[in-house]
Amino acid sequence: MNPLQESLLALKAEFLQQAGDISSQTEIEDLRIRYLGKKGELTKILRGMGALSAEERPVVGQTANEVRAEIEQKLSERQAELCRPKEGPWVDVIL
């Protein structure tokens, strides 16, 4: 396995660990910027793709796309969970 692929998989594991601890919209945005932003962790790793051989680029690129998609999906899921109203007793606010 290529060192860039190993870095991508380690990045994914690190993100998934941190994503479980998200408790606010602000934390979601902070993680999105940290991992997917212009100067984010994923971007830093992808800058190394230029040094890869033509045979390795598609493989690493596919792994990078999968990692990016999974990070985006997890962020969307967590955001939906935080926006969902909490279960509890029904209260009529009109009264």
Side-chain angles (χ1 to χ4, degrees):
M1 184 176 282
N2 186 299
L4 282 179
Q5 281 181 296
E6 291 174 3
S7 297
L8 287 166
L9 296 177
L11 180 74
K12 179 175 112 175
E14 178 185 331
F15 169 79
L16 291 174
Q17 180 183 12
Q18 291 182 359
D21 299 334
I22 295 174
S23 61
S24 71
Q25 295 289 342
T26 305
E27 290 177 4
I28 289 174
E29 186 62 16
D30 290 345
L31 275 183
R32 186 190 67 75
I33 291 169
R34 178 175 175 202
Y35 287 97
L36 301 176
K38 185 176 178 182
K39 296 181 180 180
E41 300 292 328
L42 185 61
T43 306
K44 288 178 187 175
I45 293 172
L46 293 179
R47 285 190 183 128
M49 283 188 63
L52 296 176
S53 67
E55 296 84 29
E56 292 177 313
R57 276 189 203 141
V59 176
V60 173
Q62 181 180 4
T63 303
N65 289 336
E66 290 170 359
V67 169
R68 180 185 301 274
E70 191 164 342
I71 289 173
E72 289 173 347
Q73 179 184 6
K74 186 68 170 176
L75 288 172
S76 295
E77 288 173 3
R78 291 296 292 160
Q79 187 167 15
E81 289 173 12
L82 291 174
C83 291
R84 189 175 310 130
K86 304 288 186 222
E87 294 294 322
W90 184 78
V91 178
D92 187 358
V93 295
I94 297 175
L95 296 175

